[in-house]
Amino acid sequence: MTSQTSPSFMGEPDPSGRFGRFGGRFVPETLMPACIELESAFRDAWADAAFRSELDGLLRDYAGRPSPVTECHRLSEELGLRLLLKREDLNHTGSHKINNVLGQALLTKRMGKKRLVAETGAGQHGVATATAAALMGFECTVYMGEVDMERQKLNVFRMRLLGAEVRPASSGSRTLKDAVNEAMRDWVATVETSHYCLGSVMGPHPYPWMVRELHRVLGDEAREQSRVLLGGADPDVVVACVGGGSNAAGIFSGFADTAAELVGVEPAGGAAVGGGVPGVVHGMASFLMQDEWGQVEEAHSISAGLDYPGVGPEHAHLSDIGRAQYHPVTDDEVIDAFQVLSRTEGIIPALEPAHALAWVIREAPSLAGRTVLVNLSGRGDKDVAQMMDILEGEQ
Amino acid sequence: MSLELEPVVTGRPLPPSPTPGPMEARLRAVRDSGRKLLIPYLTGGLGKWADIVRAVADAGADAVEIGIPFSDPVMDGPTIQVASERALAEGATPESVLSGLRGIDAGVPVLAMTYYNLAFHMGDERFAGQMAEAGFSGIILPDVPMEEQGPWQTAAEGAGIETVMLAGPITPDDRLQRLCDMSRGYVYGVNLMGVTGERQSLGEQAETLARRLKAVTDKPVAMGFGISTPEQAAEVAAVSDGVIVGTALVRRILDGGGPDEAHRFMSSLRSALDAS
Ligand SMILES: Cc1ncc(COP(=O)(O)O)c(C=O)c1O
């Protein structure tokens, strides 16, 4: 694990939790003591070698880190570029989400709390949280939008199998943003005994920073692994899908201070950065999809994990300063990419990272001859039933 | 690359201003006369809300809080969530609620209770200006803690809008003092750990917080969240300067109750407070 050299494009936020003009801590007074406690517990733990080594041990022996970087020979040839994948799909529980959750679970233990509350969209963060709770003997409640519970039935069952209680979020758009609202309402009532295990680089300070630091491991690994593959060089372009932005923050943090271009890919129906309108919701100031009055709009995409109208504040900042670019892809492009990777490389991706691949496939002509690293943030098992309906419905 | 953009919100709190605004002066006078404050909350844009504002004022409310419905009300329980969703579906907007108040002469101070994005999106100054123009005296923004109040309060003070701060049961002593100093109009004590909604009984938390607040401020201290009955209102008012009652009123409105029903309910709360 390399430590941060400063100044960095992805260093610490300022004392108010800001990345440039974004971030902060817009929470009810009832939650302020918990946010302050969490920040100091995390600072303390992150500087503690014993904590870091316990976490590294869990990531290695339980989650299966490091995950490999795979070179995609057939697809590279087809696209006319050199494509590398960071294989977060091979982690225990099937996505990058486990990195953040194991860190927060250890922190929960350190703070003397015994219950985890989480929101989930696709169910991957919920499954990871339920897994960590089972491992550590915590109680666990996961909020999930009713619409998503239907789309991702398999993950609902998995969470229950792991001993978690899954509660439907049945107000508003009944997707991820409403699950976040419900999780916050639970936390307001239970903050003295529960930790809110937030699943992305969003929410009030210190979450955006803490969750990014907990995913930095994947970026650091990917940088070292690509240098081995590329004779000491870095990839030209590093690409990741962006919902809240945690897998992207993890991989970007490994390359922010290299010459690599950073590209975040948003669903066309949930492009908060693309929309570029600042707003305040879920504890943070960031870019936010909203109507003319500031009412938060619903995101619409094929992927439950990216159906979020906001984005982590650090991404809004990286976009502001031009260090990363954010581009949208359509559902149709994603459905295509999902199949292309399956057929050419024998890897069925989750629908979320299929967004990152879809951008690479579309932009292949302009990327010709370049080396592109995609963060394959999760595997597609959870999406197979949905894709079966879509693809067989076509015939 | 533009690194010189203004922060979205600077996160710097203001120093307290020593002179009470008109709403605070009025509520202090009511309190000092020995009367307990009764402050109902109702969702703006829902049904005949404007008539209900008049009815509750007539039944003895000392100030009225009007919710401007927001898509993501994280501090609200199911009843006010439903009320907000319904009002939004009926076409309520910040502008329609603000302008809806213009024709009402409630005779008591009226506050808005809403979430920050609505003000932020319109622009702090414009929002505060429109509030003042519509006749609002104050505002409560439950998702803006002290640390983030700076830009809003600058705009609010400029427009003469008094911003009420909330204190919670686990707010530590040093924060409690600072937020009482910063609060305008009154200080809102949150009775419990949780969101808005009726509760069968209020724990010791409410009483403890009320006493802690009264020990550090001479601003009016009104306690809210969970108060559903006249008995509970009297109980909480006994250790504070008064009560805020929201969900219990909104539930009656959602169930079809109009100005008469609201008047009856408010009168029952008023009598309980006056008898205590
Ligand atoms: C595999 C996978 N990738 C990405 C995401 C989106 O989250 P984030 O943008 O925080 O990486 C999810 C969320 O469910 C996911 O399951």
Side-chain angles (χ1 to χ4, degrees), chain A residues 142-195:
Chain A
V142 180
Y143 292 89
M144 189 167 186
E146 263 178 355
V147 171
D148 295 338
M149 286 179 74
E150 185 56 35
R151 280 199 280 194
Q152 305 279 347
K153 278 186 195 151
L154 203 58
N155 273 343
V156 174
F157 183 70
R158 276 199 186 105
M159 289 184 265
R160 289 181 171 149
L161 205 56
L162 290 160
E165 182 192 358
V166 183
R167 292 190 193 155
S170 47
S171 63
S173 61
R174 295 174 296 132
T175 60
L176 184 52
K177 99 178 160 71
D178 309 282
V180 175
N181 291 338
E182 286 304 329
M184 289 185 80
R185 289 178 186 123
D186 183 314
W187 198 35
V188 168
T190 61
V191 63
E192 289 160 291
T193 53
S194 302
H195 171 64

Coordinates of all heavy atoms in Angstrom, one line a residue, chain A residues 142-195:
Chain A
V142 N -30.5 -3.6 5.3 CA -30.2 -3.0 4.0 C -31.5 -2.4 3.4 O -32.5 -3.1 3.4 CB -29.6 -4.0 3.1 CG1 -29.3 -3.4 1.7 CG2 -28.4 -4.6 3.7
Y143 N -31.5 -1.2 3.0 CA -32.6 -0.6 2.3 C -32.4 -0.6 0.8 O -31.3 -0.4 0.3 CB -32.8 0.9 2.8 CG -33.2 1.0 4.2 CD1 -32.3 1.0 5.2 CD2 -34.6 0.9 4.5 CE1 -32.7 1.1 6.6 CE2 -35.0 1.0 5.9 CZ -34.0 1.0 6.9 OH -34.4 1.1 8.2
M144 N -33.5 -1.0 0.1 CA -33.4 -1.2 -1.3 C -34.7 -0.7 -1.9 O -35.8 -1.0 -1.4 CB -33.1 -2.7 -1.6 CG -32.8 -3.0 -3.0 SD -32.2 -4.7 -3.1 CE -31.7 -4.8 -4.9
G145 N -34.6 0.1 -3.0 CA -35.8 0.5 -3.6 C -36.7 -0.6 -4.1 O -36.1 -1.7 -4.6
E146 N -38.0 -0.5 -4.0 CA -38.9 -1.6 -4.4 C -38.6 -2.0 -5.9 O -38.7 -3.2 -6.2 CB -40.3 -1.1 -4.3 CG -41.0 -1.6 -3.0 CD -42.4 -1.1 -2.8 OE1 -42.9 -0.3 -3.7 OE2 -43.0 -1.4 -1.8
V147 N -38.4 -1.0 -6.7 CA -38.2 -1.3 -8.1 C -36.9 -2.1 -8.3 O -36.9 -3.1 -9.1 CB -38.0 0.0 -8.9 CG1 -37.6 -0.2 -10.3 CG2 -39.3 0.8 -8.9
D148 N -35.9 -1.8 -7.5 CA -34.6 -2.5 -7.6 C -34.7 -3.9 -7.0 O -34.1 -4.9 -7.5 CB -33.5 -1.8 -6.9 CG -33.2 -0.5 -7.6 OD1 -33.5 -0.4 -8.8 OD2 -32.6 0.4 -6.9
M149 N -35.6 -4.1 -6.0 CA -35.7 -5.4 -5.4 C -36.3 -6.4 -6.4 O -35.9 -7.6 -6.5 CB -36.7 -5.4 -4.2 CG -36.0 -4.7 -3.0 SD -37.1 -4.6 -1.5 CE -37.1 -6.4 -1.0
E150 N -37.1 -5.8 -7.3 CA -37.7 -6.6 -8.4 C -36.6 -6.9 -9.4 O -36.5 -8.1 -9.9 CB -38.9 -5.9 -9.0 CG -39.7 -6.6 -10.0 CD -40.2 -8.0 -9.5 OE1 -40.6 -8.1 -8.3 OE2 -40.2 -8.9 -10.3
R151 N -35.8 -5.9 -9.8 CA -34.8 -6.1 -10.8 C -33.7 -7.0 -10.4 O -33.0 -7.6 -11.2 CB -34.2 -4.7 -11.2 CG -35.0 -3.9 -12.1 CD -34.2 -2.8 -12.7 NE -34.0 -1.6 -11.9 CZ -33.5 -0.5 -12.3 NH1 -33.1 -0.3 -13.6 NH2 -33.3 0.5 -11.5
Q152 N -33.4 -7.0 -9.1 CA -32.2 -7.7 -8.6 C -32.6 -8.7 -7.5 O -32.1 -8.7 -6.4 CB -31.2 -6.7 -8.1 CG -30.8 -5.6 -9.0 CD -29.8 -6.1 -10.1 OE1 -29.1 -7.1 -9.9 NE2 -29.6 -5.3 -11.1
K153 N -33.6 -9.6 -7.9 CA -34.1 -10.5 -6.9 C -33.1 -11.4 -6.3 O -33.1 -11.8 -5.1 CB -35.1 -11.4 -7.6 CG -36.5 -10.9 -7.8 CD -37.5 -11.9 -8.3 CE -38.7 -11.3 -8.8 NZ -39.3 -11.9 -9.9
L154 N -32.2 -11.8 -7.1 CA -31.1 -12.8 -6.7 C -30.3 -12.2 -5.5 O -30.0 -12.9 -4.5 CB -30.2 -13.1 -7.9 CG -29.4 -14.4 -7.8 CD1 -30.4 -15.6 -7.7 CD2 -28.6 -14.5 -9.1
N155 N -30.0 -10.9 -5.6 CA -29.2 -10.3 -4.6 C -30.0 -10.1 -3.3 O -29.5 -10.1 -2.2 CB -28.6 -9.0 -5.1 CG -27.3 -9.2 -5.7 OD1 -26.6 -10.2 -5.5 ND2 -26.8 -8.2 -6.5
V156 N -31.3 -9.9 -3.5 CA -32.2 -9.8 -2.3 C -32.2 -11.1 -1.5 O -32.0 -11.1 -0.3 CB -33.7 -9.4 -2.7 CG1 -34.6 -9.5 -1.5 CG2 -33.7 -8.1 -3.4
F157 N -32.3 -12.2 -2.3 CA -32.2 -13.5 -1.6 C -30.8 -13.7 -1.0 O -30.7 -14.2 0.1 CB -32.5 -14.6 -2.7 CG -32.5 -16.0 -2.0 CD1 -33.5 -16.3 -1.2 CD2 -31.5 -16.9 -2.3 CE1 -33.5 -17.6 -0.6 CE2 -31.5 -18.1 -1.7 CZ -32.5 -18.5 -0.9
R158 N -29.8 -13.3 -1.7 CA -28.4 -13.5 -1.1 C -28.3 -12.8 0.2 O -27.8 -13.3 1.2 CB -27.4 -12.9 -2.1 CG -27.0 -13.8 -3.2 CD -25.6 -13.3 -3.7 NE -25.4 -14.1 -4.9 CZ -25.5 -13.7 -6.2 NH1 -25.8 -12.5 -6.4 NH2 -25.3 -14.5 -7.1
M159 N -28.8 -11.5 0.3 CA -28.6 -10.7 1.5 C -29.4 -11.4 2.6 O -28.9 -11.5 3.7 CB -29.2 -9.3 1.3 CG -28.3 -8.5 0.4 SD -28.9 -6.8 0.3 CE -29.9 -6.8 -1.2
R160 N -30.6 -11.9 2.3 CA -31.3 -12.6 3.4 C -30.6 -13.9 3.8 O -30.6 -14.2 5.0 CB -32.8 -12.9 2.9 CG -33.5 -11.6 2.8 CD -35.0 -11.7 2.3 NE -35.6 -10.4 2.4 CZ -36.6 -10.0 1.7 NH1 -37.1 -10.8 0.7 NH2 -37.1 -8.8 1.9
L161 N -30.1 -14.6 2.9 CA -29.3 -15.8 3.2 C -28.1 -15.5 4.1 O -27.8 -16.3 5.0 CB -28.8 -16.4 1.9 CG -28.5 -17.9 1.8 CD1 -29.7 -18.7 2.1 CD2 -28.0 -18.2 0.3
L162 N -27.6 -14.3 4.0 CA -26.4 -13.9 4.8 C -26.9 -13.4 6.1 O -26.0 -13.0 6.9 CB -25.6 -12.8 4.0 CG -24.9 -13.3 2.8 CD1 -24.5 -12.2 1.9 CD2 -23.6 -14.1 3.2
G163 N -28.2 -13.4 6.4 CA -28.7 -13.0 7.7 C -29.1 -11.5 7.8 O -29.4 -11.0 8.9
A164 N -29.1 -10.8 6.7 CA -29.5 -9.4 6.7 C -31.0 -9.2 6.6 O -31.6 -10.1 6.0 CB -28.7 -8.6 5.6
E165 N -31.5 -8.1 7.1 CA -32.9 -7.8 6.9 C -32.9 -6.8 5.7 O -32.2 -5.8 5.7 CB -33.4 -7.1 8.1 CG -34.9 -6.8 8.0 CD -35.4 -5.9 9.1 OE1 -34.6 -5.5 10.0 OE2 -36.6 -5.5 9.0
V166 N -33.7 -7.1 4.7 CA -33.8 -6.2 3.5 C -35.2 -5.5 3.6 O -36.2 -6.1 3.7 CB -33.7 -6.9 2.2 CG1 -33.8 -6.0 1.0 CG2 -32.5 -7.8 2.1
R167 N -35.1 -4.1 3.8 CA -36.3 -3.4 3.9 C -36.5 -2.6 2.6 O -35.6 -1.9 2.1 CB -36.3 -2.4 5.0 CG -36.3 -3.1 6.4 CD -36.4 -2.1 7.5 NE -36.1 -2.7 8.8 CZ -35.7 -2.0 9.9 NH1 -35.6 -0.7 9.8 NH2 -35.4 -2.6 11.0
P168 N -37.8 -2.6 2.0 CA -38.0 -1.9 0.8 C -38.1 -0.4 1.0 O -38.7 0.0 2.0 CB -39.4 -2.5 0.3 CG -40.0 -3.0 1.6 CD -38.9 -3.4 2.5
A169 N -37.6 0.4 0.1 CA -37.8 1.8 0.1 C -39.0 2.0 -0.9 O -38.8 1.8 -2.1 CB -36.6 2.6 -0.4
S170 N -40.1 2.4 -0.3 CA -41.3 2.5 -1.2 C -41.8 3.9 -1.5 O -42.9 4.0 -1.9 CB -42.4 1.6 -0.5 OG -42.5 1.9 0.8
S171 N -41.0 4.9 -1.2 CA -41.4 6.2 -1.5 C -40.6 6.8 -2.7 O -39.6 6.2 -3.1 CB -41.3 7.2 -0.3 OG -39.9 7.3 0.0
G172 N -41.1 7.9 -3.3 CA -40.4 8.5 -4.4 C -40.3 7.6 -5.6 O -41.2 7.0 -6.0
S173 N -39.0 7.6 -6.1 CA -38.8 6.8 -7.3 C -38.6 5.3 -7.0 O -38.5 4.5 -7.9 CB -37.6 7.3 -8.1 OG -36.4 7.2 -7.3
R174 N -38.5 5.0 -5.8 CA -38.4 3.6 -5.3 C -37.1 3.0 -5.9 O -37.1 1.8 -6.2 CB -39.6 2.8 -5.6 CG -40.8 3.3 -4.8 CD -42.1 2.6 -5.1 NE -42.5 2.9 -6.5 CZ -42.8 2.0 -7.4 NH1 -42.9 0.7 -7.0 NH2 -43.1 2.3 -8.6
T175 N -36.0 3.8 -6.0 CA -34.7 3.2 -6.4 C -33.7 3.7 -5.5 O -34.0 4.0 -4.3 CB -34.4 3.7 -7.9 OG1 -34.3 5.1 -8.0 CG2 -35.4 3.1 -8.9
L176 N -32.4 3.7 -5.9 CA -31.3 4.0 -5.0 C -31.4 5.3 -4.2 O -31.1 5.3 -3.0 CB -30.0 4.0 -5.9 CG -28.7 4.1 -5.1 CD1 -28.5 3.2 -4.0 CD2 -27.5 4.0 -6.1
K177 N -31.9 6.4 -4.8 CA -31.9 7.6 -4.1 C -32.9 7.5 -2.9 O -32.6 8.1 -1.8 CB -32.2 8.8 -5.0 CG -33.7 9.3 -4.9 CD -33.9 10.5 -5.8 CE -35.3 10.7 -6.2 NZ -36.2 11.1 -5.1
D178 N -33.9 6.8 -3.0 CA -34.9 6.6 -2.0 C -34.4 5.7 -0.9 O -34.7 5.8 0.3 CB -36.2 6.2 -2.6 CG -36.6 7.1 -3.7 OD1 -37.1 8.2 -3.4 OD2 -36.4 6.7 -4.9
A179 N -33.6 4.7 -1.3 CA -32.9 3.8 -0.4 C -31.9 4.6 0.5 O -31.8 4.3 1.7 CB -32.2 2.6 -1.1
V180 N -31.3 5.5 -0.1 CA -30.4 6.4 0.7 C -31.2 7.2 1.7 O -30.8 7.3 2.9 CB -29.5 7.4 -0.2 CG1 -28.7 8.3 0.6 CG2 -28.6 6.6 -1.2
N181 N -32.3 7.8 1.3 CA -33.2 8.5 2.2 C -33.6 7.6 3.4 O -33.5 8.0 4.5 CB -34.4 9.0 1.5 CG -34.2 10.1 0.5 OD1 -33.1 10.8 0.6 ND2 -35.1 10.3 -0.5
E182 N -34.0 6.4 3.1 CA -34.5 5.5 4.2 C -33.3 5.1 5.1 O -33.5 5.0 6.3 CB -35.1 4.2 3.6 CG -36.5 4.4 3.0 CD -37.5 5.0 4.0 OE1 -37.4 4.7 5.2 OE2 -38.4 5.7 3.5
A183 N -32.1 4.9 4.5 CA -31.0 4.5 5.4 C -30.6 5.7 6.3 O -30.3 5.5 7.5 CB -29.8 4.1 4.5
M184 N -30.7 6.9 5.7 CA -30.4 8.1 6.6 C -31.5 8.2 7.7 O -31.1 8.6 8.8 CB -30.3 9.4 5.7 CG -29.1 9.4 4.9 SD -28.8 10.9 4.0 CE -28.1 11.9 5.2
R185 N -32.7 8.0 7.4 CA -33.8 8.1 8.4 C -33.6 7.0 9.5 O -33.8 7.3 10.7 CB -35.2 7.9 7.8 CG -35.6 9.0 6.9 CD -36.9 8.8 6.2 NE -37.2 9.9 5.3 CZ -37.5 9.7 4.0 NH1 -37.6 8.5 3.5 NH2 -37.7 10.7 3.2
D186 N -33.1 5.8 9.1 CA -32.8 4.8 10.1 C -31.7 5.3 11.0 O -31.7 5.2 12.2 CB -32.4 3.5 9.4 CG -32.2 2.3 10.3 OD1 -31.4 2.5 11.3 OD2 -32.6 1.2 10.0
W187 N -30.6 5.8 10.3 CA -29.4 6.2 11.0 C -29.7 7.3 12.0 O -29.2 7.4 13.1 CB -28.4 6.6 10.0 CG -27.0 6.7 10.6 CD1 -26.4 5.8 11.5 CD2 -25.9 7.6 10.2 NE1 -25.1 6.2 11.8 CE2 -24.8 7.2 11.0 CE3 -25.8 8.7 9.3 CZ2 -23.6 7.9 10.9 CZ3 -24.6 9.3 9.2 CH2 -23.5 9.0 10.0
V188 N -30.6 8.3 11.6 CA -31.0 9.4 12.5 C -31.5 8.8 13.8 O -31.3 9.3 14.9 CB -32.0 10.3 11.9 CG1 -32.6 11.3 12.9 CG2 -31.3 11.1 10.7
A189 N -32.2 7.7 13.7 CA -32.9 7.1 14.9 C -32.0 6.2 15.7 O -32.3 5.9 16.9 CB -34.2 6.4 14.5
T190 N -30.9 5.7 15.1 CA -30.2 4.6 15.7 C -28.7 4.9 15.8 O -27.9 4.0 16.0 CB -30.3 3.3 14.9 OG1 -29.8 3.5 13.6 CG2 -31.8 2.8 14.8
V191 N -28.4 6.2 15.6 CA -27.0 6.5 15.4 C -26.0 6.2 16.6 O -24.9 5.9 16.4 CB -26.9 8.1 15.0 CG1 -27.4 8.9 16.2 CG2 -25.5 8.5 14.6
E192 N -26.6 6.1 17.8 CA -25.8 5.7 18.9 C -25.3 4.3 18.9 O -24.2 4.0 19.5 CB -26.5 6.0 20.2 CG -26.7 7.5 20.4 CD -27.8 7.9 21.4 OE1 -28.9 7.7 21.0 OE2 -27.4 8.4 22.5
T193 N -26.0 3.4 18.2 CA -25.6 2.0 18.2 C -25.3 1.5 16.8 O -24.7 0.4 16.6 CB -26.7 1.1 18.7 OG1 -27.9 1.4 18.0 CG2 -26.9 1.4 20.2
S194 N -25.7 2.3 15.7 CA -25.5 1.8 14.4 C -24.5 2.6 13.6 O -24.4 3.8 13.8 CB -26.8 1.8 13.6 OG -27.8 1.0 14.3
H195 N -23.8 2.0 12.7 CA -23.0 2.7 11.7 C -23.6 2.6 10.4 O -24.1 1.6 9.9 CB -21.6 2.0 11.6 CG -20.8 2.6 10.5 ND1 -20.3 3.9 10.5 CD2 -20.3 2.1 9.4 CE1 -19.6 4.2 9.4 NE2 -19.6 3.1 8.7

